[in-house]
Amino acid sequence: MNPNVPQEVRIINAISEQLFNSWPVSIIMIDLEDCIWRLNQQVMNELQLNEHVIGRRITDLLEVVCDKKNVLEDLLLQLRERDVRIIPLDINCFIRELKSGISFLIQGAMVGIHEDGQLVRIVLYFRNVLEERTQKHLLNIALSRTQIFQWSFDMEHNLMIIEPRYFEYLGIPTRDYTLTPEEFAFLIHPDDRKGVFDALALQLHGNLYERPVEYRLRRGDGKWEWFEAQSTYVGQLTDLPFRIIGICMSTQKYKDTENKLNEALQKAQRSDELKSVFLANMSHEIRTPLNAIVGFSTLLACGDADLSRQEIMEFTSLIEKNSQLLMVLISDILDLSKIESNTMEFHFEKVSLNGILESIYSAQKMNLRKGVELLLDLPDRAAVIYTDPTRLGQVVNNLINNAVKFTAEGRITIGYRLKDFATLEVFVEDTGTGMSEEVLAHIFERFYKGDAFVQGTGLGLSICKSIVERLGGKITVNSEFGVGTTFNFTLPYNIIKKVADTTEGMQSSLSSQSSQLSQSSQPSDLTEQPSNETPQEQIPEKQACILIAEDTDSNYDLLNAILGKNYRLVHAHDGMEAVIMYDEVKPDLILMDIKMPNLDGLEATKIIRELSATVPIVVQSAYAYPQDQKAAKEAGCSDFISKPIVQSELKKMLNKWLSPELNNKIQE
């Protein structure tokens, strides 16, 4: 220690030395020959240098790399020759130790030290920012893929400083990425402002309020978007926080998902409620026709009942009508099941829309109550479209039946019009009671009934909607309470031809459609009129032999009751027995059930067809869908009649397939 140096100076030098070696910044001091004069402990630790490098040229030991180029010599030259006092190092500068290859990203500067206006030393100082920059980049990448934004509150200038992405995302203009509290309040939904500023006020008074706050912000397009903010403060210089920092995150997509889940939950709950109502309603709807069937059947079965022929015919007609009602109920339930399991089959073909509606009109006009008129409104030119005629007829019939229920007097009009060059619009219009806005809102929902006292399952319109959509269209409804209702549904339009062109060559198809559509329509309120057939007691001895393949005894008993007085019946209990008995008795006609044990009706038909190509085989089955009829035809069946068996339809079928000689002899 030099005693000539004042103590004050010695103290200052000691402090400087201590700071020089403890400072968390790397420092290298360079003389005017570019040799290392001095370096602190931090740089020795980071670059693995020692005091032996003192006196060596810095350019032989280190590189300062910017944009892939070593700029160290150029920086030294600028400080020596261009009167430059300080040169900040570029944001993308690296330092590299040549011997070990150690390198990292730095932030710092090169400074010229002057004395009496002359450069005496050069100082290179820097800080390793590799990890800091890495973490910042990772955070920015993460934030850029989210709707999370950073913000802080400048207490001194009373400004909210928010990152640029925030303004870009919301689509709102900004001067300098700041907002005054008043500007920020304007963006917040009026109902949410108090909650936001109450939370901010708590932090401004030193309360560590860190719970998330939900609020809505006004976007640049005027729409509201849900956000969630969370903040805290950093330090307290006075009674107030030094700085408030936080993040805000758009939660709109979560709100949308939550709303969808709530809607789905409400729909599920409503569906459960409607299903409960539906089950209760179904019990009522099934029991009501069953009551009539059982009751009138009992009356007819009572031998001591003094019934006139007219009464017997009326009772029989009522039994038949209520049986049809049960069939509609069962068909709706089966259709619903097929829709839910996506197994409902469609068979598309070219058909005349005029022909289909005319067939429906002919069948349905017999179903109207007194005072109600059915009208047909068709264009002069008939449209040929590619659709499923059976499913189309199902929709139209359902809409007409629905109109009949709610039209006590007036008219029901069916027809179609050209909506545009690619679309046809079918309509069913009535002058009935109409519907309220509340009913209209739920009219196509499953199990929904606008009037609980009107007969029906609450499934028909829902099924119609599903069918129309599968046909490529859309169904809508317009109604005015007390005035009437109009159902419209669209169909893809293909071509238009003259009626004469379109109907030619389609008669056979329309004939079969007419039969199917007639069966699907609601039964008439009129009682069946007496036929001109000769009373059974006057018919002579049995002639034609009919083989009935039926595994259910009650169904055979019914056929026997209908046919037993006029024909010789033979009963086979399954398909195998039917094949054997055919070879033995050679019947004139076979009534074949499909679902039977040992051998089903279709397989039995195929075997019998090998024995005879001409014997009429008529399927009588509860499987009544078009695909079932198609399968029966492919198996070799002559015709098809669906259960429950309608006596008049069965007689028509026998007249069709039995030889005239046999039937004429019986009916003479």
Side-chain angles (χ1 to χ4, degrees):
M1 181 177 297
N2 190 345
N4 298 321
V5 178
Q7 183 180 7
E8 190 174 307
V9 175
R10 293 199 304 271
I11 292 173
I12 293 174
N13 288 339
I15 294 173
S16 300
E17 183 71 18
Q18 185 69 27
L19 290 174
F20 183 75
N21 284 303
S22 62
W23 203 258
V25 177
S26 296
I27 303 173
I28 302 175
M29 303 185 74
I30 308 162
D31 61 22
L32 298 182
E33 283 75 35
D34 297 340
C35 294
I36 295 176
W37 179 61
R38 197 175 180 189
L39 66 170
N40 70 347
Q41 191 63 45
Q42 181 73 11
V43 73
M44 288 191 287
N45 293 337
E46 287 195 320
L47 294 177
Q48 296 184 7
L49 302 175
N50 54 46
E51 294 180 350
H52 293 98
V53 302
I54 294 175
R56 296 183 61 182
R57 289 180 61 83
I58 188 172
T59 54
D60 295 336
L61 300 172
L62 303 174
E63 288 182 345
V64 176
V65 181
C66 291
D67 296 327
K68 305 178 185 178
K69 294 187 341 184
N70 182 16
V71 298
L72 181 56
E73 288 189 3
D74 184 61
L75 295 175
L76 292 168
L77 183 63
Q78 290 185 55
L79 289 169
R80 285 197 307 267
E81 300 180 0
R82 299 181 185 177
D83 196 27
V84 178
R85 298 297 180 100
I86 184 169
I87 303 175
L89 298 179
D90 190 82
I91 192 170
N92 290 316
C93 276
F94 289 81
I95 194 162
R96 179 160 59 199
E97 200 278 319
L98 296 176
K99 184 178 179 180
S100 64
I102 296 173
S103 60
F104 46 82
L105 195 65
I106 62 173
Q107 184 179 10
M110 292 191 73
V111 182
I113 307 298
H114 292 75
E115 188 175 311
D116 298 329
Q118 298 292 320
L119 179 70
V120 294
R121 292 285 187 276
I122 296 174
V123 178
L124 168 64
Y125 72 89
F126 57 87
R127 183 169 62 91
N128 186 346
V129 295
L130 179 61
E131 289 302 321
E132 177 186 322
R133 209 66 70 75
T134 299
Q135 294 300 321
K136 185 177 181 180
H137 283 317
L138 288 174
L139 177 61
N140 289 335
I141 291 172
L143 290 177
S144 68
R145 298 180 64 86
T146 67
Q147 284 80 52
I148 301 175
F149 311 97
Q150 305 173 66
W151 63 273
S152 62
F153 187 72
D154 186 338
M155 305 286 293
E156 183 179 358
H157 299 92
N158 199 33
L159 286 174
M160 295 188 68
I161 305 167
I162 313 175
E163 65 171 295
R165 289 190 311 112
Y166 178 83
F167 297 91
E168 295 172 5
Y169 177 76
L170 290 176
I172 56 177
T174 178
R175 300 178 299 276
D176 51 4
Y177 309 114
T178 64
L179 291 172
T180 65
E182 292 76 18
E183 290 172 332
F184 183 60
F186 175 74
L187 295 177
I188 302 174
H189 194 282
D191 296 343
D192 304 329
R193 288 171 188 167
K194 186 177 184 304
V196 173
F197 284 97
D198 282 351
L200 185 60
L202 286 172
Q203 290 190 334
L204 289 174
H205 289 86
N207 293 286
L208 196 63
Y209 185 91
E210 294 182 338
R211 287 182 297 174
V213 180
E214 286 191 319
Y215 56 94
R216 285 159 288 182
L217 282 180
R218 190 196 310 271
R219 297 179 55 89
D221 56 8
K223 297 180 180 178
W224 296 102
E225 182 163 342
W226 278 101
F227 274 77
E228 184 179 278
Q230 194 167 1
S231 61
T232 187
Y233 66 83
V234 181
Q236 287 182 275
L237 186 61
T238 63
D239 290 340
L240 299 177
F242 182 75
R243 176 178 292 178
I244 296 176
I245 60 173
I247 61 169
C248 58
M249 177 180 67
S250 172
T251 58
Q252 188 62 52
K253 64 179 181 180
Y254 305 110
K255 285 286 184 180
D256 292 341
T257 302
E258 182 182 352
N259 291 336
K260 289 180 181 177
L261 290 173
N262 287 332
E263 289 175 6
L265 178 61
Q266 291 174 4
K267 285 183 179 179
Q269 291 172 342
R270 178 172 175 79
S271 179
D272 286 341
E273 293 172 0
L274 289 174
K275 283 182 179 179
S276 299
V277 174
F278 166 74
L279 290 174
N281 181 54
M282 283 300 299
S283 175
H284 175 270
E285 295 294 327
I286 291 174
R287 288 174 180 273
T288 298
L290 274 179
N291 181 66
I293 294 170
V294 173
F296 286 113
S297 298
T298 303
L299 286 175
L300 291 172
C302 286
D304 56 350
D306 188 14
L307 300 175
S308 66
R309 178 177 176 80
Q310 182 64 31
E311 288 175 325
I312 293 174
M313 293 185 66
E314 288 179 1
F315 293 172
T316 304
S317 178
L318 288 170
I319 292 172
E320 183 178 323
K321 177 183 175 181
N322 282 276
S323 299
Q324 290 287 348
L325 288 175
L326 281 177
M327 282 298 300
V328 172
L329 292 173
I330 294 169
S331 296
D332 283 350
I333 295 170
L334 291 175
D335 282 338
L336 176 65
S337 175
K338 291 189 176 207
I339 290 170
E340 289 188 338
S341 61
N342 199 29
T343 58
M344 177 176 277
E345 295 186 4
F346 287 76
H347 304 276
F348 288 79
E349 59 184 271
K350 282 186 178 180
V351 294
S352 167
L353 187 53
N354 280 43
I356 290 176
L357 295 182
E358 287 169 356
S359 297
I360 294 173
Y361 169 77
S362 299
Q364 284 280 4
K365 67 181 180 180
M366 303 298 296
N367 298 335
L368 303 177
R369 67 185 72 181
K370 188 179 270 187
V372 180
E373 183 182 11
L374 183 63
L375 302 178
L376 187 62
D377 183 6
L378 302 178
D380 294 332
R381 298 168 64 89
V384 173
I385 60 174
Y386 190 71
T387 190
D388 185 325
T390 302
R391 294 300 181 190
L392 175 57
Q394 182 179 350
V395 172
V396 177
N397 273 303
N398 196 303
L399 295 178
I400 295 173
N401 294 337
N402 199 65
V404 170
K405 294 177 186 177
F406 297 95
T407 306
E409 59 181 5
R411 67 183 182 276
I412 300 170
T413 306
I414 62 172
Y416 74 94
R417 61 180 69 88
L418 181 64
K419 188 174 183 181
D420 53 50
F421 290 106
T423 310
L424 293 171
E425 186 173 67
V426 182
F427 60 88
V428 177
E429 182 182 85
D430 67 64
T431 58
T433 58
M435 290 178 280
S436 65
E437 292 294 330
E438 181 184 357
V439 173
L440 283 174
H442 305 287
I443 195 65
F444 292 112
E445 294 179 6
R446 295 175 182 176
F447 315 118
Y448 181 80
K449 291 182 66 177
D451 188 342
F453 296 98
V454 175
Q455 200 168 42
T457 63
L459 294 174
L461 292 177
S462 172
I463 292 170
C464 285
K465 182 176 182 292
S466 297
I467 292 175
V468 168
E469 290 172 353
R470 287 286 301 274
L471 294 178
K474 182 180 180 181
I475 188 169
T476 58
V477 59
N478 295 297
S479 186
E480 184 176 349
F481 192 74
V483 176
T485 301
T486 301
F487 283 91
N488 301 280
F489 66 89
T490 58
L491 292 171
Y493 175 58
N494 302 104
I495 53 176
I496 292 183
K497 292 185 177 181
K498 293 181 180 178
V499 176
D501 297 333
T502 58
T503 56
E504 187 177 356
M506 300 179 67
Q507 294 303 316
S508 61
S509 173
L510 292 177
S511 177
S512 65
Q513 292 169 24
S514 177
S515 176
Q516 295 171 5
L517 297 171
S518 166
Q519 291 182 19
S520 66
S521 61
Q522 195 78 358
S524 173
D525 289 337
L526 303 175
T527 57
E528 183 179 344
Q529 297 301 313
S531 67
N532 294 323
E533 296 179 12
T534 304
Q536 292 183 353
E537 61 268 20
Q538 299 178 16
I539 295 176
E541 60 181 292
K542 303 169 186 177
Q543 298 291 330
C545 177
I546 300 176
L547 171 61
I548 300 176
E550 174 61 68
D551 64 316
T552 304
D553 289 339
S554 60
N555 288 338
Y556 173 76
D557 292 340
L558 175 62
L559 292 171
N560 186 42
I562 298 172
L563 306 175
K565 295 181 179 179
N566 299 329
Y567 305 95
R568 184 165 64 90
L569 306 183
V570 183
H571 185 192
H573 295 83
D574 56 50
M576 185 63 70
E577 189 174 340
V579 173
I580 296 171
M581 293 184 71
Y582 169 78
D583 195 45
E584 292 178 354
V585 302
K586 296 294 189 296
D588 300 294
L589 183 141
I590 302 174
L591 289 176
M592 183 74 73
D593 189 21
I594 292 180
K595 188 179 179 181
M596 294 186 292
N598 299 325
L599 189 70
D600 68 39
L602 299 184
E603 293 300 321
T605 298
K606 292 176 183 178
I607 297 174
I608 293 173
R609 277 288 172 248
E610 294 179 2
L611 303 175
S612 172
T614 59
V615 61
I617 303 177
V618 178
V619 170
Q620 46 101 24
S621 176
Y623 294 107
Y625 284 94
Q627 59 267 28
D628 303 315
Q629 300 181 29
K630 181 181 178 183
K633 185 177 180 180
E634 290 174 350
C637 296
S638 309
D639 217 327
F640 193 103
I641 185 170
S642 59
K643 295 179 180 177
I645 301 296
V646 179
Q647 183 174 343
S648 59
E649 293 296 324
L650 180 59
K651 288 181 178 181
K652 290 179 184 178
M653 192 71 69
L654 296 180
N655 289 334
K656 178 180 178 181
W657 291 105
L658 285 175
S659 64
E661 296 82 11
L662 291 172
N663 262 351
N664 287 339
K665 287 179 181 178
I666 294 173
Q667 298 178 7
E668 285 174 354

